């Protein structure tokens, strides 16, 4: 009797995220399709857009954030983050969706994420002068990489890893970038708003830890179920 309740609880956020992702992507696809078509006509490849987008995010994070320029850094990063939608749009228009493209996109996403949280860490290790928040930023960086790895590794050994988790990549980026952008308004005279970034980093850190635990528990359960099914099959064949 307890299992359906647990299933519903796990499924609700998954459905909500899927719907949000569906409608958000549909909107940006309509907006960015003409631009993607323009780049195709100019002979630009999806891989080039992926590389330029990642380079822009890394530059925005590592040039602006360590100096405390959170507003302008976030503006630059946000502009280049849209390349993640443009390259996929271009690949679909060209009919070139491939394993290589998916691999490159996923790999460079990790590079971009590392640069963003690395930029926060450099600020707090330097002029931000806060070792605790520096450590929290590093934890956000590391845990984000491990959260992604757990799903990829689980799927590579044949498990579905049927859980999204509390804070995935999209949530980590939105929470961190929105908070950083608003925190940057402190330099324009908005009082007290600089505290949004530390609060956001703590939220991302705790959320990433919860997500990591969710995925590890899920992989452990699915692994046990798969091994039990494997042991059961020879006994059924013998009968």
């Amino acid at each position: 009797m307890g299992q359906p309740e647990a299933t519903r609880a796990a499924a609700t956020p998954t459905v909500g995220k899927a719907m949000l992702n569906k409608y958000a992507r549909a909107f940006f696809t309509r907006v960015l399709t003409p631009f993607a078509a323009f780049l195709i006509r100019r002979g630009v490849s999806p891989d080039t857009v992926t590389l330029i987008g990642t380079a822009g995010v890394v530059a925005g994070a590592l040039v602006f954030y360590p100096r405390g320029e959170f507003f302008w850094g976030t503006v630059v990063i946000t502009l280049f983050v849209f390349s993640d939608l443009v390259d996929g749009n271009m690949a679909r228009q060209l009919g070139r969706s491939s394993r290589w493209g998916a691999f490159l996109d996923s790999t460079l996403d990790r590079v971009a994420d590392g640069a963003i949280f690395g930029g926060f860490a450099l600020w707090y290790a330097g002029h931000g002068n806060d070792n605790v928040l520096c450590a929290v930023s590093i934890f956000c960086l590391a845990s984000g990489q491990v959260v992604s790895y757990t799903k990829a590794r689980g799927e590579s050994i044949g498990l579905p890893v049927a859980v999204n988790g509390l804070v995935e990549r999209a949530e980590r980026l939105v929470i961190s970038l929105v908070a950083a952008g608003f925190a940057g308004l402190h330099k324009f005279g908005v009082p007290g708003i600089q505290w949004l970034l530390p609060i956001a980093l703590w939220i991302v850190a705790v959320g990433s830890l919860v997500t990591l635990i969710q995925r590890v528990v899920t992989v452990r359960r699915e692994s046990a179920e798969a091994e039990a099914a494997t042991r059961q099959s020879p006994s059924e064949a013998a009968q």
Side-chain angles (χ1 to χ4, degrees), residues 17-177:
K17 287 181 183 180
M19 290 180 65
L20 180 61
N21 186 54
K22 173 185 173 183
Y23 291 116
R25 280 191 172 271
F27 170 76
F28 284 113
T29 296
R30 287 195 299 272
V31 171
L32 296 173
T33 292
F35 179 62
F38 170 79
L39 292 177
I40 291 171
R41 290 195 300 271
R42 294 293 179 179
V44 180
S45 71
D47 287 353
T48 300
V49 173
T50 303
L51 291 167
I52 292 174
T54 302
V57 170
V58 170
L62 297 183
V63 170
F64 290 94
Y65 283 174
R67 296 187 298 163
E69 297 288 347
F70 295 119
F71 177 79
W72 293 115
T74 301
V75 169
V76 172
I77 290 169
T78 302
L79 289 175
F80 282 100
V81 158
F82 282 107
S83 68
D84 196 39
L85 298 175
V86 174
D87 58 8
N89 192 308
M90 292 172 67
R92 284 190 295 274
Q93 290 190 46
L94 291 168
R96 290 185 189 170
S97 297
S98 65
R99 292 184 177 88
W100 160 249
F103 170 81
L104 180 66
D105 196 50
S106 180
T107 300
L108 294 183
D109 281 348
R110 307 286 85 77
V111 174
D113 293 356
I116 290 170
F117 289 104
F120 293 145
L122 287 172
W123 162 251
Y124 287 115
H127 294 297
N129 194 28
D130 193 319
N131 289 336
V132 172
L133 287 174
C134 176
V136 172
S137 300
I138 293 171
F139 179 82
C140 290
L141 190 163
S143 61
Q145 307 295 323
V146 177
V147 164
S148 297
Y149 174 79
T150 53
K151 188 172 182 67
R153 181 59 178 147
E155 291 174 343
S156 74
I157 58 176
L159 300 175
V161 196
V163 60
N164 284 332
L166 182 64
V167 176
E168 295 183 286
R169 181 175 187 259
E171 287 81 12
R172 289 196 302 271
L173 285 182
V174 169
I175 293 170
S176 303
L177 292 179

Side-chain angles (χ1 to χ4, degrees), residues 182-211:
F182 278 110
L185 294 176
H186 178 68
K187 287 202 169 185
F188 294 91
V190 181
I193 203 165
Q194 72 273 19
W195 291 105
L196 283 178
L197 181 56
I199 292 170
L201 289 174
W202 277 107
I203 290 172
V204 170
V206 173
S208 297
L209 178 60
V210 171
T211 303

